[in-house]
Amino acid sequence: MEFISQQVSQQDFRTWFEPMQFVSFQADELTLAVPSRFFAEYVDGHYPEMLKKALVTHFGEKVRLRYKLSAENAPLPETTAAPIHTGHPQQSVDQRRLPPLDPQLNVRYTFENFVEGVSNRLARSVGLSIANNPGKSSFNPFFLYGPSGVGKTHLVNAIGVKIRELTPEKRVLFVSAHVFKTQYTDSVIHNTSNDFIHFYQTVDVLIIDDIQEITTSKTQLAFFHIFNHLQQNNKQIIITCDRPPVLFEGIEERMLTRFKWGMVAELEKPDSQLRKDILLSKIRRDGLQFPEEVVKYIAENVESSVRELEGIINSIMASAVVDNCEIDLELTRRVVARAVNLEKKKLSADDIIAAVCGHYGVKAKDLNSKSRKRNVVAARQLAMFLSHKYTGASYNLLGRKFGGKDHTTVLYACNQVSRRISTDKNFRREVEDLESVLK
């Protein structure tokens, strides 16, 4: 230990080496006790060369290193035949001895009140499959993405609630990425990061909401090791995000690769029929009475999110009480007008394509072709970006609109235009001028 203490900082030595305990040295095999699986993986990943030099210096060239968890009596199994080797701990805690865990779920979010439609049918079906067989299907991890207000949090809570109903013994935990990040920071400050990692490794079903908020390298590393442990032990991981993995910037490639191991599904903005069904569901659930024409008007004019739909209903109810009037179409128009800009022109993808083609001097059929001419590519990418922004059409739908292209092509185009707008002042003005024409 004296050799190691001279090679690392005092804080790193106290955190990662002092907790190690000598167990035995027999037949060129050194066994050390460590507090957790994460502990062994971290030391192996960050200090391999120094550790190898220390072991060779004190125990000889043929020494092999094995770890065991402090709570166990048997050494951990080896996974390679390398001269300097770290075994991987098996699950060290008897689940029956663990204290009860508050799942932090919102029990109001269930499958029963999650209204199904074309835009969410696949994701809902996957969620039900996971709830019936957590950790044992090919949908692990389940990466669910989409814009704010389309029902991601509702769906993943419903999965957690269903799992708790079917298998109460399962340790289910719902946590926002913001809370996870705060907890990890606190654990580092108080030198309890090992306890933090170990706690999360005892969970059977981990639901992380808004993963895009985990951006710092150290927090990502902690989550990476938790993810690996849960995955290897067939524990279910469910993740929500506001963007697909291919547009997730500021995160390590190895983490992105793992996000794609299981199932990646998109929750799109609800179409008119689903918006109507959601409204009717809320109205029935709350015991309200709304004229059919009012429901239809709201569904056709409030398009951004489920959250906004529910907000409109609440606003109409409040206005009816304050004004002491009936809920009718006139009241609804006034309330919706305050929340939604009905004066803006309703744009179609065809409107946008025509404007972009006119700006770049290309033909609409060129955008559907495989042409790689510079002006055609620029026009095609901008048309895809503006169509997604102003029509809310899904990437899949836009791919079909632009000559049967894959949704990843549309994703890439939107990403490229977005980046250029943020870095190229002249291009940004060009796009703004075109948007002014469209409006």
Side-chain angles (χ1 to χ4, degrees):
M1 286 296 186
E2 183 178 350
F3 173 84
I4 294 175
S5 67
Q6 296 172 356
Q7 307 298 314
V8 300
S9 69
Q10 188 176 8
Q11 181 178 349
D12 284 356
F13 181 77
R14 286 199 308 267
T15 301
W16 300 110
F17 295 97
E18 276 192 355
M20 289 184 178
Q21 297 177 343
F22 175 84
V23 176
S24 64
F25 179 64
Q26 297 176 344
D28 291 328
E29 185 176 276
L30 173 66
T31 302
L32 299 176
V34 294
S36 70
R37 180 191 185 99
F38 169 74
F39 197 99
E41 291 175 344
Y42 187 94
V43 171
D44 259 3
H46 288 76
Y47 306 100
E49 294 303 319
M50 184 204 67
L51 197 57
K52 179 177 180 179
K53 186 175 180 179
L55 293 173
V56 169
T57 300
H58 292 84
F59 296 97
E61 291 282 346
K62 296 182 179 180
V63 66
R64 292 180 302 167
L65 177 61
R66 300 184 75 181
Y67 293 128
K68 81 177 189 70
L69 296 183
S70 300
E72 295 181 331
N73 296 319
L76 303 168
E78 294 184 344
T79 56
T80 74
I84 305 300
H85 169 70
T86 302
H88 290 285
Q90 299 299 315
Q91 189 172 2
S92 63
V93 181
D94 185 338
Q95 297 285 56
R96 291 171 296 180
R97 298 177 186 174
L98 292 170
L101 173 64
D102 182 352
Q104 301 293 320
L105 293 165
N106 187 334
V107 295
R108 294 184 296 107
Y109 290 155
T110 66
F111 280 110
E112 286 70 29
N113 58 32
F114 184 86
V115 183
E116 181 180 319
V118 175
S119 63
N120 63 28
R121 184 166 295 132
L122 172 63
R124 186 180 186 277
S125 297
V126 171
L128 272 173
S129 176
I130 290 170
N132 287 309
N133 206 15
K136 297 181 181 179
S137 71
S138 58
F139 307 136
N140 193 21
F142 180 32
F143 189 100
L144 182 65
Y145 73 91
S148 176
V150 294
K152 301 188 300 296
T153 301
H154 186 149
L155 181 55
V156 297
N157 266 272
I159 297 172
V161 169
K162 194 69 173 179
I163 291 173
R164 292 271 295 170
E165 289 177 2
L166 298 176
T167 51
E169 71 278 6
K170 292 284 187 186
R171 289 171 61 81
V172 179
L173 179 64
F174 173 93
V175 61
S176 70
H178 176 74
V179 169
F180 181 92
K181 184 170 58 176
T182 302
Q183 290 174 343
Y184 176 71
T185 301
D186 289 343
S187 74
V188 172
I189 293 172
H190 297 98
N191 199 26
T192 58
S193 54
N194 289 340
D195 294 335
F196 169 83
I197 298 294
H198 179 67
F199 164 75
Y200 274 95
Q201 289 179 340
T202 68
V203 173
D204 295 312
V205 180
L206 178 60
I207 305 170
I208 295 279
D209 201 22
D210 290 327
I211 192 71
Q212 72 274 1
E213 294 190 24
I214 298 182
T215 55
T216 61
S217 58
K218 290 184 178 180
T219 309
Q220 286 179 18
L221 179 62
F223 182 71
F224 176 79
H225 287 290
I226 291 169
F227 184 103
N228 276 353
H229 178 88
L230 296 179
Q231 181 82 11
Q232 291 167 9
N233 287 278
N234 295 321
K235 308 301 183 181
Q236 182 67 49
I237 304 165
I238 301 170
I239 297 167
T240 76
C241 189
D242 65 355
R243 69 205 71 170
V246 293
L247 292 183
F248 203 155
E249 298 178 350
I251 193 166
E252 292 186 24
E253 183 62 32
R254 62 177 180 173
M255 196 70 256
L256 288 178
T257 300
R258 282 162 174 77
F259 287 164
K260 301 173 189 175
W261 277 356
M263 177 68 183
V264 176
E266 178 184 10
L267 272 188
E268 303 174 18
K269 289 183 179 180
D271 59 19
S272 178
Q273 182 58 51
L274 180 54
R275 292 196 296 270
K276 183 177 179 181
D277 292 342
I278 291 170
L279 288 168
L280 291 172
S281 175
K282 177 175 174 56
I283 289 168
R284 286 194 298 267
R285 187 170 67 247
D286 294 347
L288 306 175
Q289 296 291 328
F290 272 59
E292 184 178 345
E293 61 181 3
V294 167
V295 174
K296 182 181 178 182
Y297 183 84
I298 298 171
E300 290 176 349
N301 292 281
V302 182
E303 304 176 356
S304 62
S305 72
V306 175
R307 211 170 280 137
E308 187 175 14
L309 286 173
E310 295 183 345
I312 290 293
I313 291 291
N314 294 335
S315 296
I316 291 173
M317 290 294 299
S319 296
V321 171
V322 171
D323 297 343
N324 192 26
C325 64
E326 296 290 327
I327 295 175
D328 57 16
L329 196 55
E330 181 182 349
L331 173 66
T332 301
R333 284 198 179 104
R334 291 201 306 269
V335 172
V336 171
R338 290 198 295 265
V340 182
N341 182 10
L342 297 181
E343 298 301 319
K344 71 180 180 181
K345 181 181 177 182
K346 287 182 176 292
L347 294 173
S348 68
D350 290 332
D351 295 329
I352 293 167
I353 290 170
V356 171
C357 286
H359 179 77
Y360 280 93
V362 299
K363 297 179 180 179
K365 65 179 182 180
D366 293 333
L367 303 192
N368 295 339
S369 70
K370 296 181 179 180
S371 173
R372 301 303 300 167
K373 291 181 180 179
R374 192 169 183 175
N375 64 329
V376 173
V377 171
R380 182 187 297 130
Q381 291 185 340
L382 183 56
M384 288 177 172
F385 172 82
L386 293 174
S387 295
H388 181 64
K389 179 178 179 179
Y390 285 103
T391 71
S394 68
Y395 298 120
N396 283 322
L397 182 61
L398 288 176
R400 293 194 294 271
K401 178 71 177 177
F402 285 85
K405 292 177 176 57
D406 188 82
H407 75 283
T408 56
T409 301
V410 183
L411 283 171
Y412 177 79
C414 293
N415 195 29
Q416 289 294 100
V417 173
S418 181
R419 284 179 179 174
R420 191 176 172 192
I421 288 173
S422 64
T423 58
D424 186 336
K425 184 188 299 183
N426 292 330
F427 180 69
R428 181 166 64 250
R429 288 175 179 170
E430 182 181 336
V431 173
E432 289 172 352
D433 289 343
L434 186 56
E435 287 178 311
S436 297
V437 172
L438 286 169
K439 293 176 182 178

